[in-house]
Amino acid sequence: MAKSCIPRLLVVFLSLAVSLAAAPPTVYIFGDSTLDVGTNDLIPESQARADVPFNGIDFPYSESTGRFSNGLNTADEIVMLMGLKRSPPPFLRLVHNPSTFKKNILKGANFASGGSGILNTTGLYNYKRVISLEEQIQQFSTVRSNITNMTGSDAETDAILSKAFFLISIGSNDMFEYLLNLTVPPSMSTPEFNTVLVSTYEYHLKSLYELGARTFGIITVPPIGCTPFARAVFSIPIYHNDSCYDPAQQLAQAFYSEAQALLEQLSSQVHDIQYSLANTYLMTNTMMEDMLAFGFKDISSACCGNGTYPCNQTATVCSNRDEYLFWDRFHPTQKASELAALTLFGASEWLVAPKNFSQLLGVNI
């Protein structure tokens, strides 16, 4: 990416001061480990968990909360910029408290599950049990049903949900599993995989629309070929260990283009939908191209663990965590998540289109 774009992104961070024109909307969050705030901790058989040190080392009391981060994750950073004090809790935690469930679901819920994907099969082989995007949407349908039980009217429920914000970040795990399966004869070509992935994503977005969602924040796939995991696992002679893995990069870029076309088509068909679509690949690549300008000194290594070893209490952990882009082999540090959230709210159309989160949600900057 041209260096001339970098100063524009820096201006976002230097000038961003947030104030709300109105009370922040209710937030419903869907996706994978980038937004998971503890869902998988509530699934005993799941092996995609972050409930052990050193996860959460910079969270209050150094608590391992189930976030795949040294502290806050992207979901936390986004909702705080919206004016909320904390992220909505996992849906599974809310549903375990029947006496307060109906009251609390009106305040939002987080359905995101680490290891999950757009495709229902994603994550099952590696992690035994995760909650796919389709199942997350099924969980949300119970939220809608309970709201309707309270309002007594589908029309009133529609009015409530039309004011809510639906945040989605998913797709990386599908791509990783596809690429890992390329070590054996693949079941489908890359173009076929892209078609299946995007058509399934379209089905899920339309399902949320049918359930009352009208305002979407879509976070697409970052440059996953540059993660510590990809650098280590896909290291072959033509892709040195210090280089990003190009096939993964191409999948991420293609997904953004397909998602952009999909949302443009959907918004032309149903005129009451509004959205912000983040070019997460370009956002992250911008930070990597001039890492020192964003305060990073390491954009290729994991702060906790390494490319093949997960972050846990036996891993090595860095002390200068704000200088790392990656917390573990897949996920950003709290600092990187903060910068990403600021970009979502303050960037121009070259990074977030057709409007940024601030414009979408009425947050004045």
Side-chain angles (χ1 to χ4, degrees), residues 239-313:
Y239 297 110
H240 301 293
N241 198 44
D242 60 349
S243 300
C244 301
Y245 182 58
D246 193 55
Q249 302 288 79
Q250 292 174 7
L251 281 176
Q253 288 176 295
F255 183 74
Y256 171 77
S257 298
E258 296 284 355
Q260 185 179 38
L262 168 60
L263 286 163
E264 288 174 355
Q265 178 185 24
L266 185 59
S267 62
S268 70
Q269 295 170 345
V270 288
H271 300 293
D272 56 347
I273 192 174
Q274 57 177 343
Y275 66 89
S276 293
L277 175 67
N279 189 338
T280 318
Y281 183 95
L282 189 55
M283 284 169 47
T284 308
N285 206 44
T286 301
M287 296 181 194
M288 295 175 68
E289 284 192 348
D290 199 2
M291 62 181 187
L292 295 179
F294 297 97
F296 296 121
K297 294 184 178 179
D298 191 319
I299 58 168
S300 59
S301 306
C303 171
C304 183
N306 57 45
T308 58
Y309 192 80
C311 179
N312 57 39
Q313 59 268 49

Side-chain angles (χ1 to χ4, degrees), residues 175-214:
M175 295 178 191
F176 273 131
E177 292 201 4
Y178 172 73
L179 291 165
L180 289 168
N181 287 338
L182 289 180
T183 56
V184 297
S187 59
M188 63 179 71
S189 67
T190 298
E192 289 172 333
F193 170 75
N194 284 334
T195 299
V196 170
L197 195 66
V198 174
S199 63
T200 307
Y201 195 52
E202 178 182 13
Y203 169 79
H204 293 322
L205 292 179
K206 287 182 175 179
S207 296
L208 279 171
Y209 178 84
E210 291 169 0
L211 289 169
R214 294 296 181 269

Side-chain angles (χ1 to χ4, degrees), residues 28-31 109 111 133-144 158 161-162 164-170 200-218 263 266 270 272-273:
Y28 296 106
I29 299 172
F30 303 81
F111 304 86
L133 184 55
E134 181 172 33
E135 189 176 353
Q136 292 175 38
I137 294 169
Q138 290 169 354
Q139 291 175 342
F140 175 71
S141 71
T142 68
V143 169
R144 180 188 168 90
D158 287 337
L161 295 177
S162 69
F165 179 49
F166 291 76
L167 177 65
I168 307 172
S169 176
I170 202 163
T200 307
Y201 195 52
E202 178 182 13
Y203 169 79
H204 293 322
L205 292 179
K206 287 182 175 179
S207 296
L208 279 171
Y209 178 84
E210 291 169 0
L211 289 169
R214 294 296 181 269
T215 303
F216 293 88
I218 307 293
L263 286 163
L266 185 59
V270 288
D272 56 347
I273 192 174

Side-chain angles (χ1 to χ4, degrees), residues 1-15 286-287 289-290 293-294 346-348 350-351:
M1 198 199 75
K3 294 280 186 178
S4 60
C5 295
I6 292 169
R8 288 192 283 167
L9 184 54
L10 287 173
V11 168
V12 172
F13 305 143
L14 294 173
S15 63
T286 301
M287 296 181 194
E289 284 192 348
D290 199 2
F294 297 97
S348 56
W350 64 283
L351 287 178

Side-chain angles (χ1 to χ4, degrees), residues 5 92 100 152 212 237 275 302-303 339 358:
C5 295
L92 292 182
T100 59
Y275 66 89
C303 171
L339 292 175
S358 173

